[in-house]
Amino acid sequence: MSNLEKTRRRAEELRSEIERHNRLYYQQDAPEISDAEYDALYQELKDIEAAFPEMITPDSPTRRVGAEPVESFTPVEHATPMLSLENAFSPAEAIEFDARIKRFLGSNQPITYLAEPKIDGLAVEIIYEDGRLVQAATRGNGYIGEDVTANVKTILTVPLTLRPRKEAPPPPRRLEVRGEIYLPLDDFNLLNREREAEGQTVFANPRNAAAGSLRQLDSRLTAKRPLTMFCYAVARHETLPVATQSEVLRLLRDWGFRVNPEAAVCPSLEAVLDYHQALDRKRHELNYEVDGVVIKVESLERQARLGATSRAPRWALAFKFTPPEAETRIEAIEVQVGRTGVLTPVAVMAPVKIGGVTVSRATLHNEDEIRRKDVRVGDLVIVRRAGDVIPEVASVVIEKRPEGTELFHMPSACPACGSPVIRPAGEAAHRCDNASCPAQIKEHLIHFGSKNALDIDGLGPKMVDLLVDQGLARTPADLYHLTRAQLAELPRSGEKSADNLISAIRKSKRTSLERFIHALGIRHVGQRLSRILAEHFGGLEALRRASTQELEAIHEIGPEVARSIVSYLSNPRNRDLLNRLTGPEIGLVLTAPSSAGRGPLAGKTLVLTGALTTMTRQEATARIVAAGGRVASAVSRKTDYVVVGRDPGSKARQATELDVRMLDENGLIELLKG
Ligand code: IVH
């Protein structure tokens, strides 16, 4: 063997040894060698690589120092969406979740769950091909994240190459691993002390510190932060030789990933409640921030049957701990006008730290809420912060109320335009009744151009103020008629920024249907529902024709939301706006989601009647929707199939009368298969 070949082999041996010691140290807390011995191995490899740069491999542990900075992160579409989790805040809600699962599965036996800490960090997905790390991406909005490969490669507990244990089954050719990246609490505190000493701003909480560290355009900076990761899932785990969630975790561990040692199998919901209590007591001893327990149905076959809504899997739950609270004083109550004209009272408070985050404003919801809690300016109050939710005033410390406080009254005139404020019968909200209220017009335009809507760069609150105050825009359609000359003349604006805004507005003409629906700002229709509507209808015209009944047939939509959508779409002013935006003069081009109009039941409407034997009605509905179909509650001429189970109701007769095709359960199963 040549000397060169010997050196090459030694380098390979060193790389594998160093990664093994990394695992022993970081993953198993069981180092076999001293720090000095480790440093010696590392230095030897570095020396070889310095002398023979052609021997450097992309997965060498010496590469964990980061790479050249990038201009921005590239968007990455997740092959399998990274969903969110449904939340429960009390044992009663967890019990309700368990009951729903039993109903769905048609079982009254105890359900076995896997329980583990919910870590407050950042979710990422890491992809391995042929055992090598090829890509890492943040969760982003669940569908599209950011490429942070160079940054994740600097994290010592993330394997660059899979070196599975001998007994373990080999990983698939393509492996998509998911988990949470976080900064250990002691490192977080150390980092903040250092930053304080250097006069830099400190991070409000470990989560922000982890996010700030991971999302560095210069990965050499990420390499300096001791981030770490717990893995908890594999996308498309159906392809693995395992039957349970805990076996997935065992596989991950055998393949060299760090898995939370606190994870435990709970044979029933009672066991989950015990686990939750025990972890709540213990969480202050852990070196990471935990905000609850995640439970997952242990059986993967059951997970597959339960499936997911567009937001979250039905088989998992984030069972939160009681949110942190703090006491502070109310200095003022401000009233904000939102884009739908709703007036929201907001408490302005002496700044206070709650669970590591400084808070100085909290929502008071509406006048009834203020009365119920009897909140007054000057009061000492308990403020609560639950996750990402806007902080709220939980209660007043009545014993400590100063003298001379006064009851709060909603203003009778809109703080933005002075028009009369009304309170529609049956509603808790006060509204400004003026459809041309500048506050509403502005909020609406800001929302239209915001990041998750049409994403018009440069159309922030300041620009919108200018446009509306100068009379250049009142509706989103006006934006598309703005000229460069008009913009360049605005105060504090130049030709360059005018050009940028014009081009951003032009760019927004090609957008997705879901962004467009979201941008309209229909009451109760946020980002999540917009996606559901886009997937369901596949086009704006189909949505515009939808009836409340049709909308209510969609699992996630209730009567109130359905009414709100139909009322928006039938309002002449809104119809005119939609016609203008999509008409020949402006010509927005809306792309339908790729999943729309696909699946064996795409575009078909089904009605269920009678009991089915192999699945519950809820399960049948979920499977039909997953196959692209709709389930309506009543039979009409537009119904494609009526599925007739045992003891059918009058719908079977209606189907005969209206000449709609009928199917039995086997027929439905055949249709679902395609
Ligand atoms: S499972 C489909 N397990 O919680 C299952 N998530 O609210 C999806 N998270 O985005 C996630 N610890 O960032 C899971 N042990 C854990 C977790 C966990 C923290 C985060 C994750 C996710 C968010 C959902």
Side-chain angles (χ1 to χ4, degrees), residues 26 30 35 49 52 75 80 84 89 104 122-123 136 157 224 279 336 365 389 439 457 471 519 555 583:
Y26 291 105
D35 287 1
E49 290 180 345
F52 304 97
T80 313
S84 179
F89 296 95
F104 193 103
L122 266 102
T157 46
K224 297 203 174 98
L279 191 70
Q336 292 178 348
H365 302 289
V389 183
D457 232 12
H555 181 73

PDB file of all heavy atoms in Angstrom, residues 26 30 35 49 52 75 80 84 89 104 122-123 136 157 224 279 336 365 389 439 457 471 519 555 583:
ATOM      1  N   TYR A  26     -22.086  13.326  23.168  1.00  0.00           N
ATOM      2  CA  TYR A  26     -23.281  14.172  23.123  1.00  0.00           C
ATOM      3  C   TYR A  26     -24.577  13.392  23.184  1.00  0.00           C
ATOM      4  O   TYR A  26     -25.567  13.850  23.695  1.00  0.00           O
ATOM      5  CB  TYR A  26     -23.287  14.997  21.844  1.00  0.00           C
ATOM      6  CG  TYR A  26     -22.226  16.056  21.818  1.00  0.00           C
ATOM      7  CD1 TYR A  26     -21.084  15.898  21.040  1.00  0.00           C
ATOM      8  CD2 TYR A  26     -22.364  17.208  22.579  1.00  0.00           C
ATOM      9  CE1 TYR A  26     -20.113  16.870  21.007  1.00  0.00           C
ATOM     10  CE2 TYR A  26     -21.392  18.189  22.556  1.00  0.00           C
ATOM     11  CZ  TYR A  26     -20.269  18.017  21.771  1.00  0.00           C
ATOM     12  OH  TYR A  26     -19.315  18.981  21.749  1.00  0.00           O
ATOM     13  N   ALA A  30     -21.706   9.273  27.486  1.00  0.00           N
ATOM     14  CA  ALA A  30     -20.810   8.215  27.960  1.00  0.00           C
ATOM     15  C   ALA A  30     -19.471   8.273  27.227  1.00  0.00           C
ATOM     16  O   ALA A  30     -19.129   7.379  26.469  1.00  0.00           O
ATOM     17  CB  ALA A  30     -21.468   6.855  27.752  1.00  0.00           C
ATOM     18  N   ASP A  35     -11.000  14.682  26.999  1.00  0.00           N
ATOM     19  CA  ASP A  35     -11.089  15.787  26.050  1.00  0.00           C
ATOM     20  C   ASP A  35      -9.770  15.962  25.304  1.00  0.00           C
ATOM     21  O   ASP A  35      -9.744  16.234  24.106  1.00  0.00           O
ATOM     22  CB  ASP A  35     -11.430  17.092  26.776  1.00  0.00           C
ATOM     23  CG  ASP A  35     -12.880  17.113  27.241  1.00  0.00           C
ATOM     24  OD1 ASP A  35     -13.583  16.105  27.002  1.00  0.00           O
ATOM     25  OD2 ASP A  35     -13.303  18.125  27.839  1.00  0.00           O
ATOM     26  N   GLU A  49      -5.731  16.894   6.516  1.00  0.00           N
ATOM     27  CA  GLU A  49      -6.540  17.618   5.532  1.00  0.00           C
ATOM     28  C   GLU A  49      -5.849  18.889   5.041  1.00  0.00           C
ATOM     29  O   GLU A  49      -6.037  19.310   3.908  1.00  0.00           O
ATOM     30  CB  GLU A  49      -7.928  17.932   6.109  1.00  0.00           C
ATOM     31  CG  GLU A  49      -8.776  16.667   6.253  1.00  0.00           C
ATOM     32  CD  GLU A  49     -10.166  16.921   6.818  1.00  0.00           C
ATOM     33  OE1 GLU A  49     -10.393  18.014   7.367  1.00  0.00           O
ATOM     34  OE2 GLU A  49     -11.012  16.032   6.712  1.00  0.00           O
ATOM     35  N   PHE A  52      -3.260  17.498   2.573  1.00  0.00           N
ATOM     36  CA  PHE A  52      -3.867  16.884   1.381  1.00  0.00           C
ATOM     37  C   PHE A  52      -5.324  17.329   1.233  1.00  0.00           C
ATOM     38  O   PHE A  52      -6.245  16.561   1.538  1.00  0.00           O
ATOM     39  CB  PHE A  52      -3.818  15.351   1.482  1.00  0.00           C
ATOM     40  CG  PHE A  52      -2.439  14.797   1.697  1.00  0.00           C
ATOM     41  CD1 PHE A  52      -1.999  14.465   2.980  1.00  0.00           C
ATOM     42  CD2 PHE A  52      -1.572  14.619   0.619  1.00  0.00           C
ATOM     43  CE1 PHE A  52      -0.726  13.959   3.181  1.00  0.00           C
ATOM     44  CE2 PHE A  52      -0.297  14.104   0.821  1.00  0.00           C
ATOM     45  CZ  PHE A  52       0.135  13.779   2.096  1.00  0.00           C
ATOM     46  N   PRO A  75     -35.856  28.863  -0.499  1.00  0.00           N
ATOM     47  CA  PRO A  75     -37.052  28.158  -0.036  1.00  0.00           C
ATOM     48  C   PRO A  75     -37.012  26.673  -0.433  1.00  0.00           C
ATOM     49  O   PRO A  75     -36.497  26.342  -1.495  1.00  0.00           O
ATOM     50  CB  PRO A  75     -38.208  28.857  -0.763  1.00  0.00           C
ATOM     51  CG  PRO A  75     -37.615  29.992  -1.497  1.00  0.00           C
ATOM     52  CD  PRO A  75     -36.135  29.835  -1.543  1.00  0.00           C
ATOM     53  N   THR A  80     -43.384  16.027   2.352  1.00  0.00           N
ATOM     54  CA  THR A  80     -44.530  15.744   3.221  1.00  0.00           C
ATOM     55  C   THR A  80     -44.669  16.978   4.109  1.00  0.00           C
ATOM     56  O   THR A  80     -43.688  17.382   4.730  1.00  0.00           O
ATOM     57  CB  THR A  80     -44.234  14.520   4.115  1.00  0.00           C
ATOM     58  OG1 THR A  80     -43.689  13.493   3.296  1.00  0.00           O
ATOM     59  CG2 THR A  80     -45.473  14.028   4.807  1.00  0.00           C
ATOM     60  N   SER A  84     -48.690  21.083  12.138  1.00  0.00           N
ATOM     61  CA  SER A  84     -48.660  21.637  13.475  1.00  0.00           C
ATOM     62  C   SER A  84     -49.320  20.617  14.408  1.00  0.00           C
ATOM     63  O   SER A  84     -49.662  19.522  13.976  1.00  0.00           O
ATOM     64  CB  SER A  84     -49.416  22.942  13.396  1.00  0.00           C
ATOM     65  OG  SER A  84     -49.464  23.540  14.632  1.00  0.00           O
ATOM     66  N   PHE A  89     -55.135  22.289  26.897  1.00  0.00           N
ATOM     67  CA  PHE A  89     -54.602  23.056  28.020  1.00  0.00           C
ATOM     68  C   PHE A  89     -55.036  22.502  29.365  1.00  0.00           C
ATOM     69  O   PHE A  89     -54.696  23.043  30.402  1.00  0.00           O
ATOM     70  CB  PHE A  89     -55.010  24.528  27.894  1.00  0.00           C
ATOM     71  CG  PHE A  89     -54.410  25.189  26.685  1.00  0.00           C
ATOM     72  CD1 PHE A  89     -55.106  25.277  25.501  1.00  0.00           C
ATOM     73  CD2 PHE A  89     -53.117  25.689  26.731  1.00  0.00           C
ATOM     74  CE1 PHE A  89     -54.546  25.859  24.375  1.00  0.00           C
ATOM     75  CE2 PHE A  89     -52.539  26.267  25.618  1.00  0.00           C
ATOM     76  CZ  PHE A  89     -53.256  26.360  24.437  1.00  0.00           C
ATOM     77  N   PHE A 104     -63.521   7.777  16.628  1.00  0.00           N
ATOM     78  CA  PHE A 104     -63.073   7.706  15.242  1.00  0.00           C
ATOM     79  C   PHE A 104     -62.723   6.270  14.877  1.00  0.00           C
ATOM     80  O   PHE A 104     -63.077   5.780  13.806  1.00  0.00           O
ATOM     81  CB  PHE A 104     -61.856   8.608  15.057  1.00  0.00           C
ATOM     82  CG  PHE A 104     -61.490   8.864  13.624  1.00  0.00           C
ATOM     83  CD1 PHE A 104     -61.817  10.081  13.034  1.00  0.00           C
ATOM     84  CD2 PHE A 104     -60.821   7.921  12.866  1.00  0.00           C
ATOM     85  CE1 PHE A 104     -61.480  10.337  11.716  1.00  0.00           C
ATOM     86  CE2 PHE A 104     -60.487   8.167  11.545  1.00  0.00           C
ATOM     87  CZ  PHE A 104     -60.815   9.384  10.967  1.00  0.00           C
ATOM     88  N   LEU A 122     -36.935  24.845  17.550  1.00  0.00           N
ATOM     89  CA  LEU A 122     -37.311  25.026  16.143  1.00  0.00           C
ATOM     90  C   LEU A 122     -37.410  23.685  15.452  1.00  0.00           C
ATOM     91  O   LEU A 122     -36.454  22.905  15.496  1.00  0.00           O
ATOM     92  CB  LEU A 122     -36.180  25.731  15.420  1.00  0.00           C
ATOM     93  CG  LEU A 122     -36.256  27.203  15.322  1.00  0.00           C
ATOM     94  CD1 LEU A 122     -35.335  27.755  16.354  1.00  0.00           C
ATOM     95  CD2 LEU A 122     -35.793  27.579  13.957  1.00  0.00           C
ATOM     96  N   ALA A 123     -38.519  23.440  14.775  1.00  0.00           N
ATOM     97  CA  ALA A 123     -38.656  22.173  14.072  1.00  0.00           C
ATOM     98  C   ALA A 123     -37.862  22.228  12.769  1.00  0.00           C
ATOM     99  O   ALA A 123     -37.896  23.221  12.050  1.00  0.00           O
ATOM    100  CB  ALA A 123     -40.125  21.904  13.779  1.00  0.00           C
ATOM    101  N   ALA A 136     -31.106  20.202   4.881  1.00  0.00           N
ATOM    102  CA  ALA A 136     -31.831  20.460   6.119  1.00  0.00           C
ATOM    103  C   ALA A 136     -32.659  21.717   5.895  1.00  0.00           C
ATOM    104  O   ALA A 136     -32.192  22.674   5.274  1.00  0.00           O
ATOM    105  CB  ALA A 136     -30.867  20.659   7.278  1.00  0.00           C
ATOM    106  N   THR A 157     -24.432  17.162  17.202  1.00  0.00           N
ATOM    107  CA  THR A 157     -25.236  15.969  17.466  1.00  0.00           C
ATOM    108  C   THR A 157     -26.040  15.534  16.252  1.00  0.00           C
ATOM    109  O   THR A 157     -26.827  14.609  16.336  1.00  0.00           O
ATOM    110  CB  THR A 157     -26.192  16.219  18.646  1.00  0.00           C
ATOM    111  OG1 THR A 157     -26.814  17.485  18.434  1.00  0.00           O
ATOM    112  CG2 THR A 157     -25.437  16.249  19.952  1.00  0.00           C
ATOM    113  N   LYS A 224     -20.545  28.555  16.153  1.00  0.00           N
ATOM    114  CA  LYS A 224     -20.066  29.004  17.471  1.00  0.00           C
ATOM    115  C   LYS A 224     -21.119  28.836  18.564  1.00  0.00           C
ATOM    116  O   LYS A 224     -20.830  29.017  19.730  1.00  0.00           O
ATOM    117  CB  LYS A 224     -19.646  30.473  17.390  1.00  0.00           C
ATOM    118  CG  LYS A 224     -18.480  30.698  16.452  1.00  0.00           C
ATOM    119  CD  LYS A 224     -17.745  31.991  16.798  1.00  0.00           C
ATOM    120  CE  LYS A 224     -16.504  32.139  15.949  1.00  0.00           C
ATOM    121  NZ  LYS A 224     -16.736  33.024  14.787  1.00  0.00           N
ATOM    122  N   LEU A 279     -43.852  15.121  34.650  1.00  0.00           N
ATOM    123  CA  LEU A 279     -42.923  15.953  33.884  1.00  0.00           C
ATOM    124  C   LEU A 279     -43.050  17.424  34.289  1.00  0.00           C
ATOM    125  O   LEU A 279     -42.072  18.164  34.319  1.00  0.00           O
ATOM    126  CB  LEU A 279     -43.160  15.786  32.378  1.00  0.00           C
ATOM    127  CG  LEU A 279     -42.064  16.400  31.512  1.00  0.00           C
ATOM    128  CD1 LEU A 279     -40.767  15.597  31.618  1.00  0.00           C
ATOM    129  CD2 LEU A 279     -42.484  16.512  30.057  1.00  0.00           C
ATOM    130  N   GLN A 336     -57.831  49.952  19.525  1.00  0.00           N
ATOM    131  CA  GLN A 336     -57.330  49.825  18.151  1.00  0.00           C
ATOM    132  C   GLN A 336     -58.469  49.502  17.198  1.00  0.00           C
ATOM    133  O   GLN A 336     -59.401  48.800  17.568  1.00  0.00           O
ATOM    134  CB  GLN A 336     -56.314  48.677  18.064  1.00  0.00           C
ATOM    135  CG  GLN A 336     -55.032  48.965  18.810  1.00  0.00           C
ATOM    136  CD  GLN A 336     -54.070  47.797  18.740  1.00  0.00           C
ATOM    137  OE1 GLN A 336     -54.427  46.698  18.325  1.00  0.00           O
ATOM    138  NE2 GLN A 336     -52.852  48.048  19.174  1.00  0.00           N
ATOM    139  N   HIS A 365     -59.641  41.956  24.647  1.00  0.00           N
ATOM    140  CA  HIS A 365     -60.708  41.360  23.834  1.00  0.00           C
ATOM    141  C   HIS A 365     -61.839  42.317  23.490  1.00  0.00           C
ATOM    142  O   HIS A 365     -61.947  42.795  22.364  1.00  0.00           O
ATOM    143  CB  HIS A 365     -61.251  40.083  24.471  1.00  0.00           C
ATOM    144  CG  HIS A 365     -60.196  39.049  24.682  1.00  0.00           C
ATOM    145  ND1 HIS A 365     -59.631  38.377  23.636  1.00  0.00           N
ATOM    146  CD2 HIS A 365     -59.565  38.621  25.798  1.00  0.00           C
ATOM    147  CE1 HIS A 365     -58.695  37.562  24.098  1.00  0.00           C
ATOM    148  NE2 HIS A 365     -58.638  37.695  25.410  1.00  0.00           N
ATOM    149  N   VAL A 389     -49.468  32.849  21.544  1.00  0.00           N
ATOM    150  CA  VAL A 389     -50.684  33.641  21.613  1.00  0.00           C
ATOM    151  C   VAL A 389     -50.365  35.017  22.211  1.00  0.00           C
ATOM    152  O   VAL A 389     -49.490  35.159  23.057  1.00  0.00           O
ATOM    153  CB  VAL A 389     -51.732  32.911  22.474  1.00  0.00           C
ATOM    154  CG1 VAL A 389     -53.035  33.666  22.515  1.00  0.00           C
ATOM    155  CG2 VAL A 389     -51.939  31.507  21.966  1.00  0.00           C
ATOM    156  N   ALA A 439     -58.702  53.846   9.028  1.00  0.00           N
ATOM    157  CA  ALA A 439     -58.025  52.771   9.769  1.00  0.00           C
ATOM    158  C   ALA A 439     -58.328  51.422   9.124  1.00  0.00           C
ATOM    159  O   ALA A 439     -57.456  50.586   8.945  1.00  0.00           O
ATOM    160  CB  ALA A 439     -58.457  52.769  11.225  1.00  0.00           C
ATOM    161  N   ASP A 457     -43.473  43.424  -1.216  1.00  0.00           N
ATOM    162  CA  ASP A 457     -42.365  44.040  -0.497  1.00  0.00           C
ATOM    163  C   ASP A 457     -42.474  45.554  -0.592  1.00  0.00           C
ATOM    164  O   ASP A 457     -42.720  46.092  -1.665  1.00  0.00           O
ATOM    165  CB  ASP A 457     -41.054  43.591  -1.160  1.00  0.00           C
ATOM    166  CG  ASP A 457     -40.110  43.032  -0.130  1.00  0.00           C
ATOM    167  OD1 ASP A 457     -40.564  42.787   1.001  1.00  0.00           O
ATOM    168  OD2 ASP A 457     -38.929  42.855  -0.473  1.00  0.00           O
ATOM    169  N   GLY A 471     -54.624  59.941  -0.990  1.00  0.00           N
ATOM    170  CA  GLY A 471     -55.738  59.626  -1.878  1.00  0.00           C
ATOM    171  C   GLY A 471     -55.336  58.800  -3.094  1.00  0.00           C
ATOM    172  O   GLY A 471     -56.041  58.788  -4.101  1.00  0.00           O
ATOM    173  N   ALA A 519     -55.579  36.947   1.418  1.00  0.00           N
ATOM    174  CA  ALA A 519     -55.395  38.393   1.262  1.00  0.00           C
ATOM    175  C   ALA A 519     -56.722  39.154   1.322  1.00  0.00           C
ATOM    176  O   ALA A 519     -56.753  40.325   1.695  1.00  0.00           O
ATOM    177  CB  ALA A 519     -54.690  38.682  -0.061  1.00  0.00           C
ATOM    178  N   HIS A 555     -64.977  19.564   6.476  1.00  0.00           N
ATOM    179  CA  HIS A 555     -64.795  19.194   7.878  1.00  0.00           C
ATOM    180  C   HIS A 555     -64.475  20.389   8.787  1.00  0.00           C
ATOM    181  O   HIS A 555     -65.035  20.549   9.855  1.00  0.00           O
ATOM    182  CB  HIS A 555     -63.674  18.155   7.955  1.00  0.00           C
ATOM    183  CG  HIS A 555     -63.402  17.661   9.327  1.00  0.00           C
ATOM    184  ND1 HIS A 555     -64.264  16.808   9.972  1.00  0.00           N
ATOM    185  CD2 HIS A 555     -62.394  17.917  10.193  1.00  0.00           C
ATOM    186  CE1 HIS A 555     -63.790  16.551  11.168  1.00  0.00           C
ATOM    187  NE2 HIS A 555     -62.655  17.206  11.330  1.00  0.00           N
ATOM    188  N   GLY A 583     -60.104  40.655 -13.525  1.00  0.00           N
ATOM    189  CA  GLY A 583     -60.542  41.050 -14.870  1.00  0.00           C
ATOM    190  C   GLY A 583     -59.365  41.387 -15.774  1.00  0.00           C
ATOM    191  O   GLY A 583     -58.211  41.383 -15.342  1.00  0.00           O
TER     192      GLY A 583
END
